Amino acid sequence: MTWPIVPYRPSLKPALADLWVTAWGKAYPLYDFETRRGWLLDRFAAMETDGTAILVGLVDEAPGGFVTVHPGSGWIDQMLVSVDHQGSGLAAALMEAAKAAAPAGLTLDVNADNDRAIAFYRRQGFVRTGGRVNEQGRAIDLMAWAPRPVPPVRRS
């Protein structure tokens, strides 16, 4: 299936926040992500200001997931797909759009216990480059993707 990937527009903000709250709530049910909705909305505003691309994957013309990528640094701040569309190929389409937005390379961090996400990023060509502990005391893996160098053309 082909997934339309469109640039963010402010009218999508409530639906993207709903996706974020629901997806993170499923991944980490002990945390109340509804109370962090305001943080995400502020984060979107900050990303809009600093030139971060917010790319939205549509499912039947409604947001089904999104990825944020700063075109200069290649930093992915947020990446998620709705619970109903995980495993559908939408995440791969979003990652391809992120790679096109920052073709020199991408970096991100991911909760070290999020095996599903780490497996996805590895399938997308990311490698672990380090680790840290976040403000909540959770172990975080740092990961990066770099395009494969094009081998030189041999002339005979």
Side-chain angles (χ1 to χ4, degrees):
M1 177 169 196
T2 302
W3 302 100
I5 308 296
V6 300
Y8 166 85
R9 54 187 184 272
S11 63
L12 297 173
K13 193 181 288 190
L16 297 180
D18 289 346
L19 286 175
W20 186 85
V21 167
T22 302
W24 276 106
K26 181 174 189 247
Y28 293 97
L30 296 177
Y31 296 97
D32 180 4
F33 285 93
E34 185 60 46
T35 62
R36 300 207 61 203
R37 181 183 293 265
W39 173 88
L40 179 68
L41 297 175
D42 291 345
R43 194 87 186 117
F44 278 143
M47 286 188 273
E48 288 177 89
T49 300
D50 81 0
T52 294
I54 303 171
L55 307 170
V56 181
L58 299 179
V59 177
D60 298 327
E61 300 190 30
F66 65 93
V67 62
T68 67
V69 59
H70 190 278
S73 68
W75 176 251
I76 292 179
D77 187 80
Q78 300 288 317
M79 165 93 187
L80 69 86
V81 171
S82 73
V83 172
D84 294 338
H85 293 92
Q86 291 176 2
S88 69
L90 178 56
L94 285 164
M95 188 55 69
E96 287 305 310
K99 289 175 180 177
L106 298 168
T107 56
L108 56 82
D109 61 19
V110 58
N111 290 331
D113 63 354
N114 192 338
D115 296 334
R116 182 182 179 106
I118 291 168
F120 167 76
Y121 293 131
R122 285 185 177 146
R123 286 191 306 273
Q124 295 298 311
F126 283 75
V127 296
R128 186 178 187 279
T129 59
R132 66 178 178 86
V133 175
N134 71 9
E135 308 82 42
Q136 293 82 30
R138 299 187 74 81
I140 301 295
D141 283 347
L142 306 174
M143 300 186 81
W145 166 83
R148 290 190 175 137
V150 177
V153 176
R154 296 184 67 179
R155 298 179 192 239
S156 38

